[in-house]
């Protein structure tokens, strides 16, 4: 491995270096496209170039860019923008998206029916391509799909044509004509944001014949590749199958890039395929690889191989429109910066590959979208705050003001919170008007952007309609149109059309709508209804600042709905923002109800638990080794479940004192049996009762192949008087030792223990000793003890006495992540029984 590459990897393994996209410090409009955006990626033999320089890349699949997870519909403008920016933040320069080019057989599709094309379906595609162009991203766009999903594919066309075997799609002249007609419509569509037809936009690096097409024939690949190549001569043609290498694609002179998919990721297989492809004169692309199986070492191998032009993980999802992330259940979902420790590792590995393989290419700075507080909702009188997240944010800070939207502000989150922590509960909610704001923070804790404030009174809920979809409206006119504007959208009827938009408003208090206005803009009227059918116009309080006009009404208490109604006008004022404040649904008029806490004896390794308290908003937990609960080891509040797994390790064989308190907006109540005392038990490492036979035991405890032979069996002559024990017949032989090694199926946490204890019985052979060894947080530790006599004995070894073996990496002892346990039988041959291994006080 070249020395300079080792230095590069060392630098990249520094977390901050893995995420390198430049993020602007304010939510200003993105920089104009650079000259590079007007330049096509070109093929030179087995490589790609951009402006005469080698172009290698890594990125991700955003297959859903023309579909909303959860239903057949277009994605919101926010989701498109957020995901593209997130890809850039992970150093991506290329994104692959099925649904930008494959959209057949559904009402909102490009081609709903044979011969019918829907121009409205191009709106989110236009926006996605335009945003990708602004952010310096290139796109790979499949034009059909092997799979008959919501967005259609080649089987959709086959059904329309009445083909009995869908594979006849590749040979039937009518199918050939249908595919060409569809492709012509897509490639010749003109994007209103860029003014370019798709076939003339350098943002589209490659048109892919289809996603994972398994039945392609050589004739079909040649004909379609030539057709698309002639239609879009400056863009590249790619193709590939679901698994392995497609022979027709590899042989066809009309295909520039051969696309192969890998589940799981395999750097060894990828580099072997890359060598084969370049040997046949093709550009190699790993068009999909499992996002959860790429390691930093894999990234280094792929980046070091010049035959590997690109690799795209599958797949990235961004923030949801209201709070948290868009969830997906395919097992390969990536969220930035990651929901779990494992996903965070995956994110960093994929970002490292993109950084290494793509080099230091300059890309436009990214604008920061401020977080958006979408609701303040009472939970038994306690405020829950939900916010829409920000691309590039690592954590968030929540602040509160009791003096209005201009502060001063008090920080509530002493430890920053993440996207999965929203809705976030303000455990100290005051019984006054409270305003909140949320700041997005980078990995260093620096503020990227701060939300506009949102407030609610002591008996109020507040809700923001982001207007990204029609979901929160109870009714709307078909004449209403949505268009992106900055970080949000604007909604207005088509010119000279009437329109309305209505919202249900149970328990109404205030309805505030903001509009982008100019001198000749026509504002809608505000109307209310009691029965949902008869509407009555009401006069709003109107104010104008700059180009924004606000209409605010306080509907009567018997109001069931509020409506905005636009009359026909040349310039209808677009709605940009809507807030509804209503009487809170969940208030507290009395303290929480009675409940009990019940951790039980021997509580090590299980959550602390309690019964539910009626009308509780949240719970507080105090745990201490002192009966008066002083110097607590746990003191947490804001818990919304009836159990809590301690974030610190409870010491085995130790008495603890617990108090759980239920809290709501009217007061608090401690558990009836608080404080409760309980004693933790020892942590069982292995008691040998879970193995059905000796074969299962031998499979769990494998012999160290460098030592002498060991024969294992389950013995009923158990050392602890119950069940079974491990019996090891061992012979150190020439190596001087024999040993058994068990990799734990799940890492164990010994963090609260002080000793490793077990029962052992030697066979009386003189000069015998036993060495314990374990791996803690990746570092080896060991301790040897003598074994004499023939009686059962308790062997107790202080964990503080364990040291690193002379041959092992040195480090500090971290007992919270034990992954391996070994025993070594030294000096003399013989038999040893082992039983009841525990980590204890």
């Amino acid at each position: 491995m070249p020395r300079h590459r080792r230095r590069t990897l060392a630098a990249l393994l520094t977390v901050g270096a893995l995420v390198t996209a430049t993020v602007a410090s304010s939510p200003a409009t993105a920089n104009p496209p650079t000259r590079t955006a007007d330049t096509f990626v070109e093929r030179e033999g087995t490589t790609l170039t951009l402006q005469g320089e080698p172009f290698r890349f890594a990125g991700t699949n955003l297959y859903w860019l023309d579909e909303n997870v959860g239903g057949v519909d277009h994605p919101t403008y926010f989701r498109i923008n957020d995901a593209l920016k997130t890809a850039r933040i992970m150093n991506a320069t290329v994104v692959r998206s099925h649904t930008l080019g494959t959209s057949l057989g559904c009402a909102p599709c490009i081609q709903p029916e044979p011969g019918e094309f829907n121009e409205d379906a191009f709106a989110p595609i236009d926006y996605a391509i335009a945003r990708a162009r602004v952010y310096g991203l290139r796109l790979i766009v499949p034009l059909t799909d092997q799979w008959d999903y919501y967005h259609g594919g080649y089987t959709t066309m086959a059904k329309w044509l009445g083909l009995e075997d869908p594979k006849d799609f590749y040979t039937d002249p009518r199918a050939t004509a249908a595919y060409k007609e569809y492709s012509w419509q897509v490639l010749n569509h003109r994007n209103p944001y860029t003014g370019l037809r798709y076939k003339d936009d350098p943002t589209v690096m490659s048109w892919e014949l289809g996603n994972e097409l398994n039945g392609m024939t050589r004739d079909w690949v040649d004909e379609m590749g030539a057709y698309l190549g002639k239609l879009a001569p400056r863009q590249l043609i790619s193709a590939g199958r679901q698994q392995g290498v497609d022979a027709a694609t590899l042989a066809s002179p009309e295909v520039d890039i051969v696309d192969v998919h890998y589940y799981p990721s395999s750097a060894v297989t990828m580099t072997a395929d890359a060598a084969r492809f370049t040997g046949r004169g093709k550009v190699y692309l790993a068009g999909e690889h499992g996002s959860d199986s790429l390691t930093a070492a894999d990234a280094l191998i792929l980046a070091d191989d010049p035959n590997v032009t690109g690799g795209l993980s599958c797949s990235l999802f961004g923030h949801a429109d209201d709070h948290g992330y868009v969830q997906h259940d395919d097992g390969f979902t990536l969220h930035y910066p990651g929901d779990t420790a494992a996903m965070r590792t995956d994110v960093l590995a994929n970002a490292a590959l993109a950084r290494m393989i793509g080099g230091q290419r300059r890309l436009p700075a990214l604008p920061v979208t401020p977080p958006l507080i979408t609701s303040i909702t009472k939970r038994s009188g306690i405020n829950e705050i939900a916010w829409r997240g920000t691309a590039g944010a690592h954590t968030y800070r929540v602040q509160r003001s009791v003096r209005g939207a201009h502060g001063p502000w008090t920080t509530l989150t002493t430890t920053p919170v993440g996207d999965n922590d929203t809705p976030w509960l303000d455990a100290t909610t005051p019984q006054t008007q409270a305003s909140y704001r949320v700041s997005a923070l980078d990995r260093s804790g620096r503020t990227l952007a701060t939300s506009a404030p949102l407030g609610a009174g002591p008996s109020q809920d507040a809700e923001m309609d982001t207007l990204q979809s029609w979901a929160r409206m109870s009714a709307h006119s078909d004449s209403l149109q949505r268009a992106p504007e900055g970080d949000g959208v604007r909604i207005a009827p088509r010119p000279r059309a009437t329109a309305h938009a209505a919202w249900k408003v149970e328990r109404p208090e205030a309805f505030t709508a903001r509009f982008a206005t100019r001198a000749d803009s026509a504002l809608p009227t505000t109307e209310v209804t009691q029965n949902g059918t008869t509407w009555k116009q009401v006069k709003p309080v109107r104010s104008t600042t700059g180009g924004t006009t606000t209409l605010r009404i306080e509907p009567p208490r018997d109001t069931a709905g509020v409506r905005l109604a636009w009359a026909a006008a040349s310039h209808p004022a677009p709605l940009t923002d809507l807030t509804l404040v209503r009487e809170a649904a969940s208030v507290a008029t009395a303290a929480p109800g009675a409940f009990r806490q019940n951790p039980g004896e021997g509580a090590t390794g299980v959550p602390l638990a309690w019964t539910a308290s009626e009308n509780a908003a949240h719970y507080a937990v105090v745990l201490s080794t002192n009966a008066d609960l002083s110097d607590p080891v746990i003191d947490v509040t804001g818990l919304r479940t009836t159990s809590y797994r301690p974030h610190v390790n409870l010491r085995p064989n130790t008495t603890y004192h617990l108090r759980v308190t239920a809290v709501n907006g009217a007061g608090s109540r401690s558990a009836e049996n608080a404080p409760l005392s309980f004693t933790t038990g020892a942590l069982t490492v292995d008691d040998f009762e879970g193995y059905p036979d000796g074969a299962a035991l031998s499979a769990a405890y494998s012999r160290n192949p460098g030592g002498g032979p060991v024969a294992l069996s389950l013995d009923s002559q158990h050392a602890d008087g119950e069940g079974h024990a491990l019996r090891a017949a061992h012979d150190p032989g020439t190596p001087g030792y024999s040993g058994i090694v068990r990799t734990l199926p799940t890492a164990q946490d010994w963090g609260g223990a002080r000793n490793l204890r077990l029962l052992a019985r030697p066979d009386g052979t003189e000069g015998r000793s036993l060495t314990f060894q374990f791996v803690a947080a990746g570092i080896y530790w060991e301790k040897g003890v003598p074994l004499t006599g023939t009686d059962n004995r308790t062997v107790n070894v202080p964990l503080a006495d364990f040291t690193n073996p002379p041959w092992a990496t040195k480090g500090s002892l971290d007992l919270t992540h034990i992954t391996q346990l070994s025993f070594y039988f030294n000096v003399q041959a013989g038999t040893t029984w082992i039983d009841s291994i525990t980590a204890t006080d």
Side-chain angles (χ1 to χ4, degrees):
M1 182 184 297
R3 184 176 180 182
H4 76 274
R5 180 60 69 184
R6 288 199 296 270
R7 291 200 302 270
T8 300
L9 180 59
L12 287 168
L13 290 179
T14 302
V15 168
L18 292 176
V19 182
T20 60
T22 302
V23 179
S25 59
S26 67
T29 302
N31 294 342
T34 63
R35 183 170 63 89
T36 304
D38 297 316
T39 307
F40 287 87
V41 175
E42 298 179 332
R43 175 188 174 192
E44 291 188 5
T46 61
T47 63
L48 301 180
T49 64
L50 180 60
Q51 293 184 317
E53 298 293 328
F55 184 72
R56 298 177 66 211
F57 59 86
T60 191
N61 280 260
L62 298 174
Y63 78 83
W64 51 269
L65 277 181
D66 189 36
E67 175 264 346
N68 244 334
V69 171
V72 181
D73 199 358
H74 299 302
T76 65
Y77 291 110
F78 168 77
R79 288 189 183 184
I80 293 171
N81 202 36
D82 180 78
L84 289 171
K85 286 202 288 189
T86 302
R88 261 290 313 279
I89 287 163
M90 290 176 60
N91 304 319
T93 48
V94 174
V95 165
R96 181 172 176 266
S97 180
H98 307 22
T99 56
L100 290 184
T102 308
S103 181
L104 306 97
C106 64
C109 283
I110 291 174
Q111 188 174 12
E113 300 290 344
E116 178 184 329
F117 292 91
N118 176 15
E119 277 297 310
D120 290 341
F122 283 104
I125 303 174
D126 293 335
Y127 181 73
I129 293 175
R131 288 289 91 189
R133 178 180 174 85
V134 169
Y135 299 149
L137 291 165
R138 306 288 168 152
L139 300 171
I140 297 175
V141 182
L143 286 167
T144 193
D145 201 330
Q146 171 72 24
W147 314 110
D148 190 16
Y149 292 146
Y150 51 85
H151 56 83
Y154 83 86
T155 56
T156 305
M157 288 186 174
K159 290 176 184 176
W160 287 345
L161 295 169
L163 301 179
E164 293 185 4
D165 185 348
K167 290 185 179 180
D168 289 343
F169 171 81
Y170 297 107
T171 56
D172 190 292
R174 296 172 300 160
T176 299
Y179 179 87
K180 288 181 178 180
E181 180 190 21
Y182 176 82
S183 300
W184 190 95
Q185 293 285 344
V186 172
L187 271 66
N188 276 287
H189 174 77
R190 189 179 297 277
N191 190 332
Y193 297 104
T194 65
L196 298 172
R197 297 188 187 276
Y198 288 177
K199 67 180 183 180
D200 299 321
D201 192 338
T203 308
V204 180
M205 182 182 80
S206 172
W207 296 105
E208 188 169 358
L209 298 185
N211 174 58
E212 297 187 337
L213 299 182
N214 291 331
M216 293 181 289
T217 65
R218 171 65 185 277
D219 288 344
W220 188 86
V221 171
D222 286 347
E223 182 176 357
M224 296 310 167
Y227 175 77
L228 295 174
K230 184 177 180 180
L231 195 60
R234 301 198 66 186
Q235 294 165 326
L236 303 172
I237 307 301
S238 55
R241 59 185 294 122
Q242 178 188 6
Q243 294 178 340
V245 180
D246 186 272
T249 297
L250 190 59
S252 175
E254 307 299 337
V255 173
D256 300 296
I257 303 170
V258 178
D259 174 359
V260 186
H261 297 177
Y262 302 88
Y263 294 93
S265 295
S266 171
V268 172
T269 307
M270 290 180 191
T271 54
D273 286 347
R276 178 182 175 188
F277 290 11
T278 54
R280 296 285 295 274
K282 296 295 185 184
V283 176
Y284 166 81
L285 168 65
E288 292 182 20
H289 63 83
S291 60
D292 64 336
S293 49
L294 180 79
T295 67
D298 291 334
L300 188 56
I301 292 170
L302 297 172
D304 258 348
D305 187 346
N307 292 326
V308 176
T309 291
L312 305 173
S313 65
C314 191
S315 57
L316 180 67
F317 289 85
H319 292 99
D321 292 303
D322 48 3
H323 65 272
Y325 295 106
V326 176
Q327 298 295 334
H328 201 244
D329 59 359
D330 64 356
F332 302 104
T333 296
L334 281 182
H335 295 140
Y336 175 89
D339 298 351
T340 63
M343 188 183 291
R344 289 190 288 273
T345 299
D346 297 337
V347 166
L348 292 176
N350 282 279
L353 173 60
R355 175 73 182 278
M356 286 188 289
I357 200 170
Q360 301 296 321
R361 186 177 300 278
R362 293 191 62 183
L363 294 171
L366 291 177
V368 179
T369 301
L372 176 69
I373 299 177
T374 54
S375 67
I376 300 172
T377 306
K378 292 290 186 294
R379 180 186 176 102
S380 296
I382 300 295
N383 285 336
E384 276 189 329
I385 299 90
W387 65 86
R388 188 179 71 184
T390 302
H394 186 62
T395 54
Y396 300 87
R397 178 178 58 239
V398 182
Q399 295 178 304
R400 183 184 67 208
S401 170
V402 295
R403 296 185 181 178
H406 300 292
W409 296 94
T410 300
T411 298
L412 303 178
T413 48
T414 53
T415 300
V417 295
D419 283 292
N420 288 319
D421 295 312
T422 176
W424 181 85
L425 187 143
D426 177 7
T428 60
T429 297
Q431 296 306 301
T432 61
Q433 175 78 19
S435 296
Y436 296 88
R437 68 181 188 182
V438 175
S439 296
L441 310 177
D442 67 10
R443 287 183 179 272
S444 301
R446 294 172 297 193
T447 300
L448 294 172
T450 299
S451 72
L454 184 65
S459 59
Q460 293 176 330
D461 292 339
E463 177 184 0
M464 173 80 71
D465 188 343
T466 65
L467 305 176
Q468 291 282 342
S469 71
W470 308 115
R472 296 197 179 189
M473 296 181 187
S474 57
H476 69 276
S477 300
D478 292 339
S479 58
L480 279 178
Q481 294 179 305
R482 184 184 292 108
E485 180 179 66
D487 297 319
V489 297
R490 56 197 303 172
I491 291 175
R494 295 179 176 88
R496 298 180 179 84
T498 60
H500 66 266
W503 292 261
K504 289 183 178 179
V505 288
E506 298 173 2
R507 307 176 308 280
E509 291 197 9
F511 178 90
T512 304
R514 278 172 281 272
F515 302 85
T517 55
R518 61 185 192 183
D520 59 348
S521 294
L523 286 164
T525 59
T526 49
E527 302 174 341
V528 298
T529 184
Q530 295 175 324
N531 55 19
T533 57
T534 303
W535 294 89
K536 175 184 177 182
Q537 185 173 332
V538 293
K539 185 176 180 180
V541 176
R542 174 174 170 172
S543 61
T544 300
T545 302
T548 300
T549 296
T550 301
L551 301 181
R552 187 177 188 274
I553 64 172
E554 295 183 3
R557 290 192 61 82
D558 58 356
T559 298
V562 175
R563 187 167 76 171
L564 299 173
W566 284 265
S570 299
H571 301 289
L575 175 65
T576 60
D577 185 2
L578 184 139
T579 305
L580 178 64
V581 177
R582 56 168 62 103
E583 182 183 338
S586 179
V587 295
T589 57
F595 70 107
R596 297 180 64 83
Q597 53 194 35
N598 52 348
E601 292 294 320
T604 294
V606 300
L608 307 175
W610 51 93
T611 61
S613 169
E614 185 178 1
N615 210 27
H618 66 96
Y619 301 90
V621 171
V622 177
L623 185 72
S624 173
T625 56
N626 301 315
D628 63 358
L629 300 178
S630 60
D631 299 322
V633 294
I634 294 173
D635 188 357
V636 296
T637 190
L639 303 175
R640 283 170 278 185
T641 60
T642 55
S643 65
Y644 175 68
R645 185 174 294 277
H647 64 280
V648 296
N649 299 298
L650 301 187
R651 290 166 49 186
N653 301 322
T654 301
T655 298
Y656 285 92
H657 307 274
L658 172 69
R659 182 182 67 207
V660 180
T661 302
V663 182
N664 66 17
S668 62
R669 181 194 296 268
S670 293
E672 291 181 333
N673 55 339
L676 178 147
S677 301
F678 65 95
T679 301
T680 57
L683 173 65
T684 299
V685 178
D686 201 341
D687 59 7
F688 304 101
E689 305 304 333
Y691 304 101
D693 51 38
L697 179 66
S698 298
Y701 286 86
S702 58
R703 182 179 73 86
N704 186 320
V710 182
L712 298 183
S713 59
L714 283 173
D715 199 323
S716 58
Q717 297 183 31
H718 35 79
D720 64 358
E722 296 181 3
H724 297 91
L726 176 150
R727 179 182 183 275
H730 42 83
D731 183 358
T734 302
Y737 72 93
S738 54
I740 53 176
V741 181
R742 184 189 183 202
T743 299
L744 299 174
T746 302
Q748 295 184 354
D749 184 349
W750 300 355
R754 296 182 179 180
N755 297 280
L756 188 65
R757 185 176 298 162
L758 56 81
L759 296 176
R761 179 162 67 89
D763 63 0
T765 305
E766 294 295 328
R768 293 273 308 287
S769 66
L770 177 66
T771 296
F772 306 115
Q773 186 184 95
F774 60 81
V775 176
I779 298 177
Y780 284 86
W781 299 85
E782 68 179 20
K783 172 66 177 177
V785 296
L787 282 182
T788 58
T790 59
D791 296 330
N792 292 334
R793 55 176 294 191
T794 299
V795 180
N796 191 80
V797 185
L799 287 163
D801 290 352
F802 280 76
T803 59
N804 304 125
W807 45 266
T809 301
K810 303 302 184 285
S812 58
L813 182 58
D814 178 2
L815 293 168
T816 63
H817 195 72
I818 310 297
T819 56
Q820 184 175 288
L821 177 70
S822 305
F823 294 99
Y824 288 93
F825 312 97
N826 304 318
V827 185
Q828 300 292 331
T831 301
T832 302
W833 287 260
I834 297 173
D835 203 357
S836 298
I837 310 166
T838 59
T840 187
D841 192 30

